[in-house]
Amino acid sequence: MSQELNRRELLLGSAALALGASEAKAQSANSRVNVAVIGIGGQGNFSIKELAKLQPTTNFVALCDVDDERAGKAYEQFPSAKKFYDWREMFDKMGKEIDAVVIATPDHTHFHPAHRAISMGKHVYLEKPMAHSVWEVRELTKLATEKKVATQLGVQRHTLPAIHKAVEIIQSGLIGKVTEVHSWIASSRGMPPVPTDTPAVPSTLKYDLWLGPAPQRPYTAEIVPYKWRFFWDYGTGEAGNWGCHILDIPFWALGLTYPTRVNYHDGDPLHAVTTPTKFHVSFKYEKDITLHWYQGTPAILKEKNLDPKGMNNLFIGEKGMLLCGFDKAQLIGVEGEPTVKVPKSPGFHKEWLDAIQGGKPATCHFGYSGPMTETVLLGNTAYRAQEGFDWDAKTLKASSAKAAALIKPKFPKGWTV
């Protein structure tokens, strides 16, 4: 007989549930939600389009971006929304008029506007990864619970039918107890040449605002507007780019939260400035679960004669295996249909709006997605330390001095929190 689980039971282990249990300070159902968007030229434009479908519930009151050229179309679409370059000025002038904020800036500028918004009691939709460092992620996770705001991390693939199928298979026990998961992004992007050119800053770009709390360096088109993600000062590499999407599957299916051990296996020689093209780390969790993360295709797929095309997760259970990706889920060694059924999402952005209006927490609220993001960043930490470490999630302490030095950033004057 099918077992219908409610949304919280499906996506949370006990520790994550404790972080996300507080209901958001709700607006009345069907009331208009005044939304501000910070970072509207790239992924932020996707959220604008999705939220625009939900008008008149969604009312765009402010749009903020540092690049007029990339942001122009959104300004044209919502001419009544007030335009800003600096999110600090936006909050100072319009704080009382804003109910909720979408933040879709480069990784190094996620934390500060999100922290300010949540501190003001604003609901937040934040692009992945949640922040640039483990400490920043934990601060946002705690603050969101304290302020009882509705949150959602931009892991929109969470709604895909194949991911639901994978979760149903694992939680139904079709492959038995899972002891090992291999997760990967089949990409070799990283380690670009460090730019030496110093062209003039385009007249359409407020470069100082783009840099924000990052170290000062001359402008170059080899970093802005896109390749920043492969430089440690601004991005988190392919792990940060894809890790939350891919690890969402095992985190959801197995109810994972915080690891107790992070191991470094191999990868590119460390570069102080740029992110790697390949590396392999693993995480130890309670219930004797080991989760491997690779940039590159894991050797175990060839060993087991498995086709990696379109796949990004291999679950190994006592009875069989599950090979899955964003679009398909393949049982290996066993047959059967899952008894657990995942409720269909009303829409990823609508989940957030519903939570703002007093509904259930969105499926990727910070109580769930915070531990997941920390795991992604801890993998980067092990690579950058070039060694493994025991991890005390409660105190954010790593047994490796090299790793410990990377957990909390040192903000420059004017950016301390």
mmCIF file of all heavy atoms in Angstrom, residues 46-93:
data_model
loop_
_atom_site.group_PDB
_atom_site.id
_atom_site.type_symbol
_atom_site.label_atom_id
_atom_site.label_comp_id
_atom_site.label_asym_id
_atom_site.label_seq_id
_atom_site.Cartn_x
_atom_site.Cartn_y
_atom_site.Cartn_z
ATOM 1 N N PHE A 46 15.920 34.636 -14.427
ATOM 2 C CA PHE A 46 15.097 33.427 -14.405
ATOM 3 C C PHE A 46 14.059 33.515 -13.295
ATOM 4 O O PHE A 46 12.877 33.211 -13.504
ATOM 5 C CB PHE A 46 15.983 32.194 -14.206
ATOM 6 C CG PHE A 46 15.223 30.939 -13.891
ATOM 7 C CD1 PHE A 46 14.521 30.262 -14.876
ATOM 8 C CD2 PHE A 46 15.199 30.436 -12.595
ATOM 9 C CE1 PHE A 46 13.814 29.095 -14.577
ATOM 10 C CE2 PHE A 46 14.498 29.279 -12.288
ATOM 11 C CZ PHE A 46 13.800 28.609 -13.279
ATOM 12 N N SER A 47 14.477 33.931 -12.107
ATOM 13 C CA SER A 47 13.527 34.066 -10.998
ATOM 14 C C SER A 47 12.494 35.146 -11.273
ATOM 15 O O SER A 47 11.318 35.003 -10.923
ATOM 16 C CB SER A 47 14.274 34.376 -9.690
ATOM 17 O OG SER A 47 14.900 33.214 -9.193
ATOM 18 N N ILE A 48 12.924 36.224 -11.906
ATOM 19 C CA ILE A 48 11.969 37.270 -12.263
ATOM 20 C C ILE A 48 10.889 36.705 -13.179
ATOM 21 O O ILE A 48 9.687 36.946 -12.984
ATOM 22 C CB ILE A 48 12.691 38.458 -12.927
ATOM 23 C CG1 ILE A 48 13.508 39.228 -11.891
ATOM 24 C CG2 ILE A 48 11.693 39.384 -13.619
ATOM 25 C CD1 ILE A 48 14.354 40.330 -12.479
ATOM 26 N N LYS A 49 11.292 35.942 -14.177
ATOM 27 C CA LYS A 49 10.324 35.362 -15.109
ATOM 28 C C LYS A 49 9.372 34.401 -14.398
ATOM 29 O O LYS A 49 8.162 34.378 -14.673
ATOM 30 C CB LYS A 49 11.059 34.641 -16.238
ATOM 31 C CG LYS A 49 11.795 35.573 -17.195
ATOM 32 C CD LYS A 49 12.568 34.794 -18.245
ATOM 33 C CE LYS A 49 13.297 35.719 -19.201
ATOM 34 N NZ LYS A 49 14.106 34.973 -20.198
ATOM 35 N N GLU A 50 9.920 33.584 -13.492
ATOM 36 C CA GLU A 50 9.078 32.624 -12.776
ATOM 37 C C GLU A 50 8.114 33.330 -11.828
ATOM 38 O O GLU A 50 6.932 32.975 -11.735
ATOM 39 C CB GLU A 50 9.956 31.638 -11.992
ATOM 40 C CG GLU A 50 10.754 30.689 -12.865
ATOM 41 C CD GLU A 50 9.863 29.817 -13.728
ATOM 42 O OE1 GLU A 50 8.994 29.120 -13.165
ATOM 43 O OE2 GLU A 50 10.028 29.846 -14.971
ATOM 44 N N LEU A 51 8.592 34.339 -11.124
ATOM 45 C CA LEU A 51 7.724 35.074 -10.208
ATOM 46 C C LEU A 51 6.713 35.931 -10.957
ATOM 47 O O LEU A 51 5.599 36.159 -10.473
ATOM 48 C CB LEU A 51 8.573 35.941 -9.272
ATOM 49 C CG LEU A 51 9.373 35.169 -8.221
ATOM 50 C CD1 LEU A 51 10.377 36.080 -7.542
ATOM 51 C CD2 LEU A 51 8.448 34.534 -7.181
ATOM 52 N N ALA A 52 7.094 36.401 -12.147
ATOM 53 C CA ALA A 52 6.152 37.202 -12.938
ATOM 54 C C ALA A 52 4.937 36.384 -13.346
ATOM 55 O O ALA A 52 3.838 36.932 -13.521
ATOM 56 C CB ALA A 52 6.861 37.758 -14.172
ATOM 57 N N LYS A 53 5.113 35.087 -13.486
ATOM 58 C CA LYS A 53 3.990 34.217 -13.814
ATOM 59 C C LYS A 53 2.967 34.166 -12.678
ATOM 60 O O LYS A 53 1.813 33.773 -12.886
ATOM 61 C CB LYS A 53 4.485 32.789 -14.102
ATOM 62 C CG LYS A 53 5.389 32.658 -15.306
ATOM 63 C CD LYS A 53 5.919 31.232 -15.420
ATOM 64 C CE LYS A 53 6.921 31.083 -16.549
ATOM 65 N NZ LYS A 53 7.495 29.715 -16.616
ATOM 66 N N LEU A 54 3.410 34.549 -11.485
ATOM 67 C CA LEU A 54 2.560 34.471 -10.301
ATOM 68 C C LEU A 54 1.956 35.817 -9.929
ATOM 69 O O LEU A 54 1.446 35.991 -8.831
ATOM 70 C CB LEU A 54 3.369 33.904 -9.126
ATOM 71 C CG LEU A 54 3.979 32.520 -9.389
ATOM 72 C CD1 LEU A 54 4.892 32.105 -8.242
ATOM 73 C CD2 LEU A 54 2.888 31.479 -9.598
ATOM 74 N N GLN A 55 2.038 36.773 -10.838
ATOM 75 C CA GLN A 55 1.339 38.044 -10.615
ATOM 76 C C GLN A 55 -0.171 37.791 -10.679
ATOM 77 O O GLN A 55 -0.617 36.872 -11.379
ATOM 78 C CB GLN A 55 1.749 39.062 -11.685
ATOM 79 C CG GLN A 55 3.194 39.520 -11.558
ATOM 80 C CD GLN A 55 3.618 40.444 -12.689
ATOM 81 O OE1 GLN A 55 3.427 40.129 -13.852
ATOM 82 N NE2 GLN A 55 4.194 41.581 -12.335
ATOM 83 N N PRO A 56 -1.005 38.526 -9.920
ATOM 84 C CA PRO A 56 -0.668 39.739 -9.164
ATOM 85 C C PRO A 56 -0.161 39.488 -7.744
ATOM 86 O O PRO A 56 0.099 40.442 -7.017
ATOM 87 C CB PRO A 56 -2.000 40.481 -9.131
ATOM 88 C CG PRO A 56 -3.017 39.396 -9.079
ATOM 89 C CD PRO A 56 -2.462 38.288 -9.936
ATOM 90 N N THR A 57 -0.034 38.210 -7.327
ATOM 91 C CA THR A 57 0.503 37.965 -5.984
ATOM 92 C C THR A 57 1.886 38.581 -5.852
ATOM 93 O O THR A 57 2.222 39.187 -4.836
ATOM 94 C CB THR A 57 0.571 36.460 -5.692
ATOM 95 O OG1 THR A 57 -0.744 35.904 -5.815
ATOM 96 C CG2 THR A 57 1.076 36.207 -4.287
ATOM 97 N N THR A 58 2.701 38.430 -6.887
ATOM 98 C CA THR A 58 4.030 39.021 -6.899
ATOM 99 C C THR A 58 3.963 40.458 -7.409
ATOM 100 O O THR A 58 3.394 40.720 -8.467
ATOM 101 C CB THR A 58 4.976 38.231 -7.819
ATOM 102 O OG1 THR A 58 4.981 36.864 -7.413
ATOM 103 C CG2 THR A 58 6.382 38.780 -7.740
ATOM 104 N N ASN A 59 4.562 41.362 -6.651
ATOM 105 C CA ASN A 59 4.615 42.766 -7.058
ATOM 106 C C ASN A 59 6.057 43.232 -6.954
ATOM 107 O O ASN A 59 6.607 43.359 -5.859
ATOM 108 C CB ASN A 59 3.720 43.610 -6.147
ATOM 109 C CG ASN A 59 3.762 45.081 -6.502
ATOM 110 O OD1 ASN A 59 3.824 45.446 -7.667
ATOM 111 N ND2 ASN A 59 3.719 45.939 -5.487
ATOM 112 N N PHE A 60 6.708 43.464 -8.090
ATOM 113 C CA PHE A 60 8.105 43.893 -8.084
ATOM 114 C C PHE A 60 8.187 45.379 -7.750
ATOM 115 O O PHE A 60 7.676 46.224 -8.493
ATOM 116 C CB PHE A 60 8.746 43.619 -9.446
ATOM 117 C CG PHE A 60 8.866 42.160 -9.782
ATOM 118 C CD1 PHE A 60 7.954 41.550 -10.644
ATOM 119 C CD2 PHE A 60 9.875 41.389 -9.226
ATOM 120 C CE1 PHE A 60 8.059 40.213 -10.948
ATOM 121 C CE2 PHE A 60 9.978 40.045 -9.527
ATOM 122 C CZ PHE A 60 9.078 39.451 -10.386
ATOM 123 N N VAL A 61 8.833 45.682 -6.631
ATOM 124 C CA VAL A 61 8.914 47.078 -6.193
ATOM 125 C C VAL A 61 10.310 47.663 -6.344
ATOM 126 O O VAL A 61 10.471 48.884 -6.377
ATOM 127 C CB VAL A 61 8.444 47.222 -4.728
ATOM 128 C CG1 VAL A 61 6.967 46.867 -4.603
ATOM 129 C CG2 VAL A 61 9.294 46.383 -3.780
ATOM 130 N N ALA A 62 11.350 46.797 -6.418
ATOM 131 C CA ALA A 62 12.716 47.310 -6.541
ATOM 132 C C ALA A 62 13.570 46.298 -7.295
ATOM 133 O O ALA A 62 13.435 45.085 -7.093
ATOM 134 C CB ALA A 62 13.320 47.586 -5.172
ATOM 135 N N LEU A 63 14.437 46.806 -8.164
ATOM 136 C CA LEU A 63 15.368 45.983 -8.917
ATOM 137 C C LEU A 63 16.767 46.581 -8.750
ATOM 138 O O LEU A 63 16.954 47.781 -8.929
ATOM 139 C CB LEU A 63 14.992 45.944 -10.391
ATOM 140 C CG LEU A 63 13.625 45.347 -10.733
ATOM 141 C CD1 LEU A 63 13.335 45.509 -12.220
ATOM 142 C CD2 LEU A 63 13.551 43.875 -10.333
ATOM 143 N N CYS A 64 17.728 45.722 -8.416
ATOM 144 C CA CYS A 64 19.068 46.206 -8.101
ATOM 145 C C CYS A 64 20.106 45.401 -8.871
ATOM 146 O O CYS A 64 20.095 44.168 -8.845
ATOM 147 C CB CYS A 64 19.310 46.068 -6.591
ATOM 148 S SG CYS A 64 20.932 46.621 -6.031
ATOM 149 N N ASP A 65 20.994 46.099 -9.574
ATOM 150 C CA ASP A 65 22.078 45.430 -10.281
ATOM 151 C C ASP A 65 23.216 46.413 -10.491
ATOM 152 O O ASP A 65 22.989 47.627 -10.540
ATOM 153 C CB ASP A 65 21.602 44.884 -11.634
ATOM 154 C CG ASP A 65 22.484 43.753 -12.142
ATOM 155 O OD1 ASP A 65 23.609 44.038 -12.599
ATOM 156 O OD2 ASP A 65 22.057 42.588 -12.073
ATOM 157 N N VAL A 66 24.428 45.882 -10.613
ATOM 158 C CA VAL A 66 25.596 46.745 -10.785
ATOM 159 C C VAL A 66 25.950 46.948 -12.253
ATOM 160 O O VAL A 66 26.866 47.707 -12.568
ATOM 161 C CB VAL A 66 26.821 46.168 -10.040
ATOM 162 C CG1 VAL A 66 26.537 46.073 -8.553
ATOM 163 C CG2 VAL A 66 27.229 44.811 -10.613
ATOM 164 N N ASP A 67 25.235 46.253 -13.170
ATOM 165 C CA ASP A 67 25.579 46.295 -14.588
ATOM 166 C C ASP A 67 24.346 46.665 -15.410
ATOM 167 O O ASP A 67 23.443 45.852 -15.606
ATOM 168 C CB ASP A 67 26.111 44.924 -15.014
ATOM 169 C CG ASP A 67 26.712 44.915 -16.419
ATOM 170 O OD1 ASP A 67 26.257 45.716 -17.256
ATOM 171 O OD2 ASP A 67 27.619 44.114 -16.673
ATOM 172 N N ASP A 68 24.301 47.878 -15.885
ATOM 173 C CA ASP A 68 23.137 48.359 -16.644
ATOM 174 C C ASP A 68 22.901 47.559 -17.914
ATOM 175 O O ASP A 68 21.759 47.300 -18.299
ATOM 176 C CB ASP A 68 23.325 49.833 -17.014
ATOM 177 C CG ASP A 68 22.983 50.769 -15.873
ATOM 178 O OD1 ASP A 68 22.218 50.349 -14.978
ATOM 179 O OD2 ASP A 68 23.474 51.904 -15.867
ATOM 180 N N GLU A 69 23.971 47.144 -18.573
ATOM 181 C CA GLU A 69 23.813 46.442 -19.837
ATOM 182 C C GLU A 69 23.143 45.082 -19.641
ATOM 183 O O GLU A 69 22.203 44.726 -20.348
ATOM 184 C CB GLU A 69 25.165 46.253 -20.521
ATOM 185 C CG GLU A 69 25.055 45.580 -21.888
ATOM 186 C CD GLU A 69 26.390 45.484 -22.597
ATOM 187 O OE1 GLU A 69 27.397 45.996 -22.063
ATOM 188 O OE2 GLU A 69 26.429 44.897 -23.694
ATOM 189 N N ARG A 70 23.601 44.311 -18.668
ATOM 190 C CA ARG A 70 23.036 42.983 -18.423
ATOM 191 C C ARG A 70 21.658 43.054 -17.794
ATOM 192 O O ARG A 70 20.845 42.148 -17.942
ATOM 193 C CB ARG A 70 23.975 42.163 -17.539
ATOM 194 C CG ARG A 70 25.212 41.685 -18.274
ATOM 195 C CD ARG A 70 26.230 41.067 -17.326
ATOM 196 N NE ARG A 70 25.714 39.929 -16.593
ATOM 197 C CZ ARG A 70 25.618 38.684 -17.062
ATOM 198 N NH1 ARG A 70 25.980 38.429 -18.312
ATOM 199 N NH2 ARG A 70 25.173 37.705 -16.301
ATOM 200 N N ALA A 71 21.377 44.122 -17.096
ATOM 201 C CA ALA A 71 20.117 44.219 -16.371
ATOM 202 C C ALA A 71 19.017 44.929 -17.152
ATOM 203 O O ALA A 71 17.864 44.944 -16.723
ATOM 204 C CB ALA A 71 20.348 44.969 -15.052
ATOM 205 N N GLY A 72 19.347 45.484 -18.296
ATOM 206 C CA GLY A 72 18.432 46.371 -19.001
ATOM 207 C C GLY A 72 17.064 45.823 -19.293
ATOM 208 O O GLY A 72 16.048 46.514 -19.139
ATOM 209 N N LYS A 73 16.975 44.558 -19.728
ATOM 210 C CA LYS A 73 15.679 43.995 -20.113
ATOM 211 C C LYS A 73 14.717 43.933 -18.933
ATOM 212 O O LYS A 73 13.514 44.176 -19.087
ATOM 213 C CB LYS A 73 15.870 42.606 -20.725
ATOM 214 C CG LYS A 73 16.564 42.632 -22.083
ATOM 215 C CD LYS A 73 16.665 41.240 -22.669
ATOM 216 C CE LYS A 73 17.354 41.279 -24.037
ATOM 217 N NZ LYS A 73 17.486 39.920 -24.630
ATOM 218 N N ALA A 74 15.233 43.598 -17.760
ATOM 219 C CA ALA A 74 14.357 43.528 -16.585
ATOM 220 C C ALA A 74 13.853 44.912 -16.201
ATOM 221 O O ALA A 74 12.689 45.081 -15.820
ATOM 222 C CB ALA A 74 15.102 42.896 -15.411
ATOM 223 N N TYR A 75 14.714 45.918 -16.323
ATOM 224 C CA TYR A 75 14.273 47.284 -16.031
ATOM 225 C C TYR A 75 13.144 47.693 -16.980
ATOM 226 O O TYR A 75 12.173 48.336 -16.574
ATOM 227 C CB TYR A 75 15.436 48.264 -16.174
ATOM 228 C CG TYR A 75 16.521 48.135 -15.138
ATOM 229 C CD1 TYR A 75 17.866 48.286 -15.486
ATOM 230 C CD2 TYR A 75 16.213 47.900 -13.801
ATOM 231 C CE1 TYR A 75 18.873 48.196 -14.539
ATOM 232 C CE2 TYR A 75 17.215 47.803 -12.845
ATOM 233 C CZ TYR A 75 18.538 47.943 -13.220
ATOM 234 O OH TYR A 75 19.525 47.847 -12.275
ATOM 235 N N GLU A 76 13.282 47.303 -18.230
ATOM 236 C CA GLU A 76 12.261 47.646 -19.215
ATOM 237 C C GLU A 76 10.944 46.928 -18.940
ATOM 238 O O GLU A 76 9.869 47.488 -19.161
ATOM 239 C CB GLU A 76 12.760 47.283 -20.617
ATOM 240 C CG GLU A 76 13.949 48.109 -21.082
ATOM 241 C CD GLU A 76 14.559 47.568 -22.368
ATOM 242 O OE1 GLU A 76 13.959 46.633 -22.955
ATOM 243 O OE2 GLU A 76 15.630 48.053 -22.780
ATOM 244 N N GLN A 77 11.030 45.697 -18.446
ATOM 245 C CA GLN A 77 9.827 44.906 -18.204
ATOM 246 C C GLN A 77 9.021 45.426 -17.027
ATOM 247 O O GLN A 77 7.790 45.344 -17.019
ATOM 248 C CB GLN A 77 10.223 43.449 -17.955
ATOM 249 C CG GLN A 77 9.033 42.496 -17.854
ATOM 250 C CD GLN A 77 9.479 41.056 -17.656
ATOM 251 O OE1 GLN A 77 10.677 40.753 -17.610
ATOM 252 N NE2 GLN A 77 8.517 40.164 -17.529
ATOM 253 N N PHE A 78 9.718 45.992 -16.025
ATOM 254 C CA PHE A 78 9.029 46.477 -14.821
ATOM 255 C C PHE A 78 9.437 47.927 -14.559
ATOM 256 O O PHE A 78 10.165 48.219 -13.606
ATOM 257 C CB PHE A 78 9.360 45.581 -13.620
ATOM 258 C CG PHE A 78 8.971 44.150 -13.823
ATOM 259 C CD1 PHE A 78 9.916 43.203 -14.189
ATOM 260 C CD2 PHE A 78 7.650 43.748 -13.672
ATOM 261 C CE1 PHE A 78 9.559 41.884 -14.395
ATOM 262 C CE2 PHE A 78 7.276 42.431 -13.876
ATOM 263 C CZ PHE A 78 8.231 41.499 -14.237
ATOM 264 N N PRO A 79 8.968 48.842 -15.387
ATOM 265 C CA PRO A 79 9.404 50.242 -15.267
ATOM 266 C C PRO A 79 8.962 50.912 -13.964
ATOM 267 O O PRO A 79 9.564 51.903 -13.558
ATOM 268 C CB PRO A 79 8.755 50.909 -16.483
ATOM 269 C CG PRO A 79 7.597 50.026 -16.839
ATOM 270 C CD PRO A 79 8.027 48.645 -16.502
ATOM 271 N N SER A 80 7.924 50.375 -13.308
ATOM 272 C CA SER A 80 7.467 50.989 -12.068
ATOM 273 C C SER A 80 8.327 50.606 -10.868
ATOM 274 O O SER A 80 8.273 51.252 -9.814
ATOM 275 C CB SER A 80 6.013 50.596 -11.788
ATOM 276 O OG SER A 80 5.899 49.199 -11.606
ATOM 277 N N ALA A 81 9.118 49.531 -11.012
ATOM 278 C CA ALA A 81 10.018 49.131 -9.927
ATOM 279 C C ALA A 81 11.172 50.130 -9.841
ATOM 280 O O ALA A 81 11.731 50.537 -10.855
ATOM 281 C CB ALA A 81 10.553 47.726 -10.176
ATOM 282 N N LYS A 82 11.536 50.515 -8.635
ATOM 283 C CA LYS A 82 12.612 51.481 -8.453
ATOM 284 C C LYS A 82 13.965 50.807 -8.709
ATOM 285 O O LYS A 82 14.188 49.666 -8.321
ATOM 286 C CB LYS A 82 12.550 52.086 -7.058
ATOM 287 C CG LYS A 82 11.296 52.927 -6.847
ATOM 288 C CD LYS A 82 11.258 53.580 -5.482
ATOM 289 C CE LYS A 82 9.995 54.400 -5.311
ATOM 290 N NZ LYS A 82 9.906 55.026 -3.965
ATOM 291 N N LYS A 83 14.843 51.533 -9.357
ATOM 292 C CA LYS A 83 16.134 51.008 -9.781
ATOM 293 C C LYS A 83 17.240 51.425 -8.815
ATOM 294 O O LYS A 83 17.320 52.582 -8.400
ATOM 295 C CB LYS A 83 16.447 51.526 -11.190
ATOM 296 C CG LYS A 83 17.831 51.197 -11.704
ATOM 297 C CD LYS A 83 18.040 51.823 -13.076
ATOM 298 C CE LYS A 83 19.471 51.659 -13.548
ATOM 299 N NZ LYS A 83 19.693 52.254 -14.883
ATOM 300 N N PHE A 84 18.107 50.448 -8.469
ATOM 301 C CA PHE A 84 19.234 50.715 -7.577
ATOM 302 C C PHE A 84 20.478 50.001 -8.090
ATOM 303 O O PHE A 84 20.401 48.948 -8.738
ATOM 304 C CB PHE A 84 18.943 50.219 -6.155
ATOM 305 C CG PHE A 84 17.845 50.957 -5.451
ATOM 306 C CD1 PHE A 84 16.529 50.517 -5.543
ATOM 307 C CD2 PHE A 84 18.110 52.087 -4.705
ATOM 308 C CE1 PHE A 84 15.497 51.185 -4.906
ATOM 309 C CE2 PHE A 84 17.091 52.773 -4.051
ATOM 310 C CZ PHE A 84 15.788 52.328 -4.155
ATOM 311 N N TYR A 85 21.632 50.579 -7.792
ATOM 312 C CA TYR A 85 22.912 49.911 -8.012
ATOM 313 C C TYR A 85 23.396 49.231 -6.732
ATOM 314 O O TYR A 85 24.017 48.174 -6.785
ATOM 315 C CB TYR A 85 23.982 50.909 -8.466
ATOM 316 C CG TYR A 85 23.715 51.520 -9.813
ATOM 317 C CD1 TYR A 85 23.421 52.874 -9.940
ATOM 318 C CD2 TYR A 85 23.775 50.742 -10.972
ATOM 319 C CE1 TYR A 85 23.194 53.442 -11.183
ATOM 320 C CE2 TYR A 85 23.545 51.297 -12.212
ATOM 321 C CZ TYR A 85 23.250 52.647 -12.313
ATOM 322 O OH TYR A 85 23.015 53.206 -13.547
ATOM 323 N N ASP A 86 23.137 49.852 -5.599
ATOM 324 C CA ASP A 86 23.665 49.403 -4.309
ATOM 325 C C ASP A 86 22.522 48.874 -3.455
ATOM 326 O O ASP A 86 21.595 49.620 -3.107
ATOM 327 C CB ASP A 86 24.361 50.575 -3.615
ATOM 328 C CG ASP A 86 25.172 50.157 -2.402
ATOM 329 O OD1 ASP A 86 24.795 49.170 -1.743
ATOM 330 O OD2 ASP A 86 26.178 50.842 -2.096
ATOM 331 N N TRP A 87 22.564 47.590 -3.082
ATOM 332 C CA TRP A 87 21.479 47.009 -2.286
ATOM 333 C C TRP A 87 21.366 47.654 -0.907
ATOM 334 O O TRP A 87 20.284 47.679 -0.314
ATOM 335 C CB TRP A 87 21.662 45.488 -2.155
ATOM 336 C CG TRP A 87 22.983 45.051 -1.581
ATOM 337 C CD1 TRP A 87 24.089 44.684 -2.273
ATOM 338 C CD2 TRP A 87 23.320 44.944 -0.192
ATOM 339 N NE1 TRP A 87 25.109 44.351 -1.415
ATOM 340 C CE2 TRP A 87 24.661 44.496 -0.131
ATOM 341 C CE3 TRP A 87 22.635 45.172 0.994
ATOM 342 C CZ2 TRP A 87 25.324 44.271 1.074
ATOM 343 C CZ3 TRP A 87 23.288 44.959 2.202
ATOM 344 C CH2 TRP A 87 24.605 44.514 2.234
ATOM 345 N N ARG A 88 22.467 48.186 -0.400
ATOM 346 C CA ARG A 88 22.409 48.862 0.900
ATOM 347 C C ARG A 88 21.527 50.110 0.824
ATOM 348 O O ARG A 88 20.723 50.381 1.721
ATOM 349 C CB ARG A 88 23.823 49.213 1.372
ATOM 350 C CG ARG A 88 24.688 47.989 1.648
ATOM 351 C CD ARG A 88 26.154 48.329 1.789
ATOM 352 N NE ARG A 88 26.720 48.850 0.536
ATOM 353 C CZ ARG A 88 28.002 49.103 0.350
ATOM 354 N NH1 ARG A 88 28.874 48.885 1.322
ATOM 355 N NH2 ARG A 88 28.430 49.575 -0.806
ATOM 356 N N GLU A 89 21.674 50.863 -0.257
ATOM 357 C CA GLU A 89 20.824 52.035 -0.461
ATOM 358 C C GLU A 89 19.368 51.612 -0.646
ATOM 359 O O GLU A 89 18.446 52.271 -0.150
ATOM 360 C CB GLU A 89 21.308 52.811 -1.678
ATOM 361 C CG GLU A 89 20.488 54.064 -1.970
ATOM 362 C CD GLU A 89 20.916 54.756 -3.249
ATOM 363 O OE1 GLU A 89 21.775 54.211 -3.978
ATOM 364 O OE2 GLU A 89 20.367 55.843 -3.529
ATOM 365 N N MET A 90 19.162 50.507 -1.346
ATOM 366 C CA MET A 90 17.800 50.008 -1.563
ATOM 367 C C MET A 90 17.109 49.719 -0.239
ATOM 368 O O MET A 90 15.958 50.133 -0.005
ATOM 369 C CB MET A 90 17.851 48.743 -2.426
ATOM 370 C CG MET A 90 16.488 48.144 -2.738
ATOM 371 S SD MET A 90 16.619 46.522 -3.550
ATOM 372 C CE MET A 90 16.976 45.482 -2.116
ATOM 373 N N PHE A 91 17.808 49.000 0.648
ATOM 374 C CA PHE A 91 17.205 48.686 1.942
ATOM 375 C C PHE A 91 17.002 49.942 2.788
ATOM 376 O O PHE A 91 16.000 50.076 3.492
ATOM 377 C CB PHE A 91 18.067 47.677 2.702
ATOM 378 C CG PHE A 91 17.933 46.266 2.201
ATOM 379 C CD1 PHE A 91 19.052 45.518 1.893
ATOM 380 C CD2 PHE A 91 16.678 45.676 2.045
ATOM 381 C CE1 PHE A 91 18.949 44.211 1.442
ATOM 382 C CE2 PHE A 91 16.554 44.370 1.591
ATOM 383 C CZ PHE A 91 17.685 43.639 1.288
ATOM 384 N N ASP A 92 17.959 50.863 2.726
ATOM 385 C CA ASP A 92 17.829 52.099 3.501
ATOM 386 C C ASP A 92 16.605 52.906 3.071
ATOM 387 O O ASP A 92 15.877 53.461 3.903
ATOM 388 C CB ASP A 92 19.086 52.963 3.333
ATOM 389 C CG ASP A 92 20.291 52.401 4.070
ATOM 390 O OD1 ASP A 92 20.103 51.536 4.945
ATOM 391 O OD2 ASP A 92 21.428 52.825 3.752
ATOM 392 N N LYS A 93 16.375 52.972 1.768
ATOM 393 C CA LYS A 93 15.297 53.817 1.252
ATOM 394 C C LYS A 93 13.944 53.112 1.173
ATOM 395 O O LYS A 93 12.905 53.766 1.268
ATOM 396 C CB LYS A 93 15.671 54.351 -0.137
ATOM 397 C CG LYS A 93 16.821 55.347 -0.118
ATOM 398 C CD LYS A 93 17.078 55.917 -1.506
ATOM 399 C CE LYS A 93 18.156 56.993 -1.471
ATOM 400 N NZ LYS A 93 18.414 57.565 -2.815
#
